[in-house]
Amino acid sequence: YEMSDDECWHRLGLEALRQGNHQVVEMSYQRTKNFERLSFLYLLTGNVEKLRKMLRIAEMRRDIMGRFHNALFLGSASERVRE
């Protein structure tokens, strides 16, 4: 039985989340490019600076919903309505 790297990182992230190790969870979400969960983790941990970075990443990826969610998490009404 062999797992892909992404599957291993995903499982590691799940277990780290169960144990409350948010640094490992963050690393696992970064490695698997799980941007939505990463943004939510930053919201829960109060890491506003990294949320702003996630907003910029969503803009570069042209991810409209990602940009909207990050702007919502940051409380930025002007960014939410921007096209």
Side-chain angles (χ1 to χ4, degrees):
Y1 176 66
E2 192 173 309
M3 293 191 305
S4 69
D5 279 348
D6 279 353
E7 188 177 348
C8 289
W9 280 107
H10 178 73
R11 284 186 169 189
L12 177 65
L14 284 175
E15 192 55 40
L17 190 60
R18 285 187 191 109
Q19 295 180 20
N21 189 338
H22 64 86
Q23 291 94 352
V24 174
V25 174
E26 178 182 7
M27 185 172 40
S28 114
Y29 288 169
Q30 288 171 348
R31 293 290 291 255
T32 58
K33 295 184 170 78
N34 197 334
F35 299 117
E36 296 84 13
R37 289 184 181 188
L38 192 55
S39 291
F40 194 66
L41 177 69
Y42 293 149
L43 173 68
L44 292 177
T45 58
N47 198 330
V48 176
E49 192 57 43
K50 287 189 179 178
L51 262 176
R52 286 191 187 106
K53 187 175 180 181
M54 293 302 295
L55 179 60
R56 289 193 301 272
I57 289 170
E59 288 172 355
M60 289 188 310
R61 294 177 59 233
R62 298 179 200 260
D63 178 5
I64 295 168
M65 285 309 293
R67 197 182 80 214
F68 176 81
H69 287 137
N70 283 300
L72 187 66
F73 294 158
L74 287 165
S76 174
S78 62
E79 187 64 41
R80 277 182 271 171
V81 296
R82 204 185 84 183
E83 288 188 31

